[in-house]
Amino acid sequence: MQIDGLEISIGGARILDGVCLELRAGEILGLVGASGSGKSMTALAITQLLPRNAHLRGSIRLRGDALTAKSEAELCRIRGRDIGIVFQEPMTALNPLMRIGDQVTETVRLHSGASETDAVRMTRTAFARVGLGDDPESLQRYPHELSGGGRQRVAIAMAVVLEPVLLIADEPTTALDVTTQAQVLALLEDLVRTTGMGLVLITHDMAVIGATTTQVAVMHNGKIVERGATAQILREPRDPYAKELLAAAYLAPKQRSSKSEPSRAISAPAIFEAREIVREYPRRRRSLWAASPPLRAVDGVSLKIHPGETVGLIGETGSGKSSLLRVMLALDRPRSGEVHLLGEVFTAARGAALRRLRRSIQAVFQDPYASFDPQWSVERVVAEPFHLLDAGLSHAERRHKVALALERVGLSAADAGRYPREFSGGQRQRIAIARALITEPAVIAFDEAVSALDVLVRAQILRLLAELNAGSSLAILFVSHDLSVVRSIADRVYVMHRGRIVEEGYTEAVFASPREAYTSALIAATPTMA
Amino acid sequence: MNTAASRRIGLAAGAGITLAFIMMAVVASFWTPYDPAGIDIAGKLSSPSAQHWFGTDQLGRDVLSMIMASARGSVGVAFFSTGLGLVLGVPLGLIAAARSGWVDEFIMRGNDLLFAFPSLLLAILLTAGFGPGALNACIAIGVFNIPVFARVTRGAALRIWTQDFSMAARVAGKGPLRISVEHVLPNLLTLLTVQATIQFSLGVVAEAGLSYLGIGVQPPTPSWGRMLSDAQTLTALAPSLALFPGLAVALFVLGLTLLSSGLRPQRER
């Protein structure tokens, strides 16, 4: 049972160029590379699900059988039975209107012609194996009743129920939180060990590769630049691109600089401070008479940021960190509590005072593609916060300041006349940072600002942030679910869980000896390259 | 055939037909081959000929001239009713999206109320109350365009409000009104153009319908709808009398439909 000498090239614009891969039973092959490197195309080629206009050359063999020579009808039998597939987004991979048990049973019946009772029995076995529970009730649930990790388990159950010889998982954990990611990866490893199937794990995360795979192939521009045993490639990569990728994936914990020494940081007054913030959202009424208690997303959170400090706010999906950030940016009003900025009450400010305070806090958001009005030029985008100035600027002054801000983030003044869509994700995030810098704020809040970026670009942006922060009084609030990123950039961290701050302290102290069980669980779940 | 090429052909054909009808309406304001109201009993019900390309009707009026003159009323009513919907509906939709809560509820439930009425029936009621005529036809049709534009605007605007760039604009201290005008509205223009073209074509049909019932454009100004209703009793005698106004309405609506689907943004990858 093996895939042998898989070689593909796709016509028109060449997307894959002479790709060779090999996978034996019971092995996990990692396929790693930046977005657009051809990882997903390779997966689609193996399953023969390529777009209609793609041309394919070379051969793909499964147990010695050439898949490229098969008819569509034969392929339909093979997919699902011999090859299982798990996609990145667990919500869209499932039919929202079907019970999860029925979805898996349907796959079984379609491919094996098993009777209804047999199919249900096999489904229950598969559910038990992926940790969803084999009692009848758990089969009756709908996708929306499950968490992201739960849905990904259903997708995996569907892929492995017929015990395929090959499982392809395309970024199966990218959309999941660290603790869930650790569980799903452990599950996949366990399945490979017990069933002896081969697993192709596609990811951009080197740490996931290091923690799970035995073999790895590094892809770049449609080519495999390096291939071999994972341990060896992680230790001493030969190809320059693989080296670069590896260096970018390894984030060194931040060295404590002199200015963030405990004594100084605490002696200086905080410039930005949240005091006992409570934020609630109304819930749907149970009936005409009985109102539901509101959902308390942020429950009495206090945090402080001192000048020149980088503070990390760690939390998983639904921990309330985004709700907190919206309150801290005075976009939403808290139910109770106050936000203080430069010694004034930001949450109570109105009119001119609010505008003056807003100048001192700017933000960079997660999605570099949604952060700019598609119809605005870079100059207009970057100059938007000038709206906060009391007196308008002359055209020349505006242009000059925009040029300075663009140069500060490593772009050129000439970029001002272009449109954001002409830039890559990393460059767009630079534009967003330029927009945040333009009013010379005291604090910039980053909301998952590097989560959507590739490792190489992520490393560049993090370096830029460190440069901006070094030797200036600019304070940074860095909100993220990614512990290794926070560790590499923050002086102090707050850990948020279910609307509360469960732990706070100096980054290294928290990472080295966490006091809370939740924090230790998060740290333990984070895959490392070691 | 290549989809991009067929889209271009559809767009060109739609734009061409639409433009031709609008030109016809403009030209008819200055010149028609004959006076569209000029009665010539002696030459009544003549079939198409070199003098009268489309023939004459039961009162001897030139059908071509009547078709041309009718375009004015048709384009005019469709234009003003669509305009009424745009001018009132779009701001309502923008406000509803920008101010959620009771303002949104109030506006949208008001729209639901309007939507709940059968539009043609209410148009008849309106003209019965205020008397028939082109202006009342405009208002009657236009009122029903308001909820259409309000809903389309609100739906798309809500999506733009969730995007990070709206958040960035709020961080830059901009209020809901300014963000609606600077960010939301410009990003809705394509969508609104398409919707306006669709409403325009519905307006053409509605005007023809109201005139057919005798409550739209009033005589002596000709209209396609009334020409059709007049021709109805004479179908056996002169079938071409019903043919030409019917064709005019169908062709104009076809052109507008092609235009709207050509303008619709292509599905993104």
Side-chain angles (χ1 to χ4, degrees), chain B:
Chain B
M1 201 193 342
N2 187 319
T3 46
S6 68
R7 270 177 65 92
R8 269 201 306 279
I9 294 169
L11 179 62
I17 295 170
T18 308
L19 211 66
F21 272 91
I22 290 170
M23 287 295 292
M24 189 160 88
V26 172
V27 169
S29 330
F30 308 108
W31 175 86
T32 46
Y34 295 85
D35 177 6
I39 295 171
D40 171 19
I41 302 292
K44 69 173 180 177
L45 294 177
S46 72
S47 22
S49 65
Q51 276 107 46
H52 300 282
W53 287 5
F54 288 1
T56 57
D57 73 350
Q58 73 281 7
L59 296 176
R61 292 173 294 192
D62 178 49
V63 173
L64 177 59
S65 302
M66 288 174 78
I67 295 271
M68 284 178 68
S70 302
R72 274 184 69 197
S74 185
V75 169
V77 169
F79 183 83
F80 282 109
S81 60
T82 307
L84 187 67
L86 271 172
V87 167
L88 295 179
V90 172
L92 282 176
L94 287 177
I95 293 168
R99 301 281 311 263
S100 50
W102 70 266
V103 181
D104 183 21
E105 285 290 321
F106 183 76
I107 293 175
M108 295 325 285
R109 292 304 78 80
N111 276 326
D112 290 345
L113 203 70
L114 255 182
F115 249 136
F117 283 101
S119 52
L120 198 64
L121 223 64
L122 201 81
I124 295 170
L125 205 73
L126 273 176
T127 46
F130 297 100
L135 183 66
N136 285 342
C138 279
I139 295 170
I141 300 166
V143 163
F144 294 100
N145 281 334
I146 297 173
V148 173
F149 282 109
R151 276 190 185 182
V152 166
T153 305
R154 176 177 173 272
L158 282 178
R159 208 180 56 242
I160 288 172
W161 274 104
T162 64
Q163 303 246 0
D164 282 349
F165 67 78
S166 315
M167 194 106 94
R170 291 186 64 195
V171 172
K174 291 183 174 173
L177 179 68
R178 187 174 273 271
I179 295 176
S180 291
V181 172
E182 285 186 6
H183 287 291
V184 181
L185 191 57
N187 280 295
L188 296 184
L189 283 184
T190 324
L191 182 75
L192 290 176
T193 313
V194 172
Q195 193 61 44
T197 319
I198 293 170
Q199 295 314 116
F200 196 96
S201 73
L202 292 178
V204 169
V205 175
E207 187 274 330
L210 290 180
S211 298
Y212 179 86
L213 296 173
I215 51 180
V217 176
Q218 290 304 299
T221 315
S223 79
W224 295 330
R226 212 177 50 258
M227 287 173 76
L228 275 171
S229 80
D230 286 348
Q232 205 171 15
T233 50
L234 301 163
T235 21
L237 234 66
S240 68
L241 279 185
L243 183 70
F244 291 114
L247 267 181
V249 174
L251 193 63
F252 195 12
V253 170
L254 174 73
L256 287 164
T257 310
L258 283 175
L259 182 64
S260 76
S261 48
L263 288 173
R264 187 168 300 153
Q266 255 175 324
R267 229 182 308 148
E268 278 169 40
R269 277 163 297 147

Side-chain angles (χ1 to χ4, degrees), chain A residues 364-369 371 429 446-453 481, chain B residues 164:
Chain A
V364 174
F365 299 100
Q366 174 170 10
D367 186 350
Y369 294 89
S371 287
Q429 225 44 334
F446 289 83
D447 187 7
E448 300 275 9
V450 296
S451 306
L453 304 176
H481 70 276
Chain B
D164 282 349

